[in-house]
Amino acid sequence: MNPDLEKLQPYPFEKLNALKADSNPLVEGHIALSIGEPKHDAPRFVLDSITNNLGKINRYPLTKGIAELRLAIRDWLIRRFKLTDTLDAEQHILPVNGTREALFSFAHCVIDDKNDSLILMPNPFYQIYEGAAFLSGATPYFYNTVKENNYLPDFDAIDEKIWKRCQIIYICTPGNPTGSVISKQQLARLIELAQEYDFIIASDECYSEIYFDEQNPPTGLLEAAQATGNTDFKNCIIFHSLSKRSNLPGMRSGFVAGDAELIKAYLKYRTYHGSAMPPVHQLASIEAWNDETHVQNNRALYVEKFDAVINILDSVIKVKSPDAGFYLWLNTPVDDEIFAKDLFAQQNVTVLPGSYLSRESDGINPGKDHIRMALVAPLDECITAANRIKQYIQSLNL
Ligand SMILES: Cc1ncc(COP(=O)(O)O)c(C=O)c1O
């Protein structure tokens, strides 16, 4: 057996189930704010496309995807991130089956010098990055994103010795769980560092389409690369998905885009990995990337929920509105595990303790004393959950 498998931590939800195991909630009607699974309706026209194209399942798909899909993604990227037409559907874009598998397998494709290489990742973080580091033979290095810095990374605080060993840095913008968006200036600084120390920036942007101000969408890594004159996106790769944007988590459709050399190597890797997107999903994905109306409507539902929930909680606790994404990252007045356990026992609401999403690094655990709430349930459920959380916080008599 691969000994590195032993290094993989239980998934946060396993820890959560154990935490809740011997509680019997006092209130009827469980509300889960713990899992980040979109729950709004999938677009009808995408479902119709799937139905209409079912017959195409009798063919093997190309790993590279059909040209029409890569073109639709290219056009979407150009529209969304104001890229120029140097972005090329042949060289810069590859469909993947959701960002999770791609974030994981990408590390296996690019890591060399196995004994000394580091993969940098935010802390708290999406656990797949850590698994990718362990199973590619690299060592994870956690850079903290703390309240004092608006839950953003401070790239200049990372030591030169670390940069020298860094082969990949994962960034997550908008962040899960923090909701913080890395600015174009910070991205530009990171690109400068990537050129100086020759590492790859892997930017997980799967929440980029869930934001609150229609005039101010989160910036992306390729947009920042273009602004710095890095128009061939050297050392930069982005990960996008229809899961959150279009409420299609079950379709497993996403893409990676960026540095042509990395895309070429990753395509080679993927042909062996055998992870081509099914033809029906490719066709349905074209429809989804070509439409923005359903994405705007989706955002409007989140705006409504965030306004309502923050409004309720604000009277009992300081709530930081996220820059984007669908999570509230709440600094708790008591230990996060106690908060989550007692909230479940007293109010039948499940939230995720922040320390399940983080590790100790640099002497602190930045997920401690935080909980993550995913506002994915319908508005009325989110409002009920917020009122119950308010009651629980009031019961703490702080
Ligand atoms: C930060 C982050 N990245 C990636 C993913 C994977 O999403 P998908 O594989 O559906 O694109 C998730 C899912 O919750 C996530 O939270």
Side-chain angles (χ1 to χ4, degrees), residues 7 14 22 48 53 91 151 168 193 196 263 289 303 321:
K7 297 180 185 164
E14 290 174 50
D22 41 77
D48 288 344
N53 289 302
Q91 295 181 67
Y151 301 110
I168 302 174
L193 288 162
E196 186 177 344
I263 296 288
W289 290 116
V303 169
S321 298

Side-chain angles (χ1 to χ4, degrees), residues 98-100 103 126 129 172 176 204 206-207 241 243-244 252:
T99 49
R100 181 183 181 134
L103 288 159
Y126 179 52
Y129 314 145
C172 186
N176 169 10
D204 180 353
C206 72
Y207 292 94
S241 167
S243 300
K244 276 77 176 168
R252 314 308 305 129

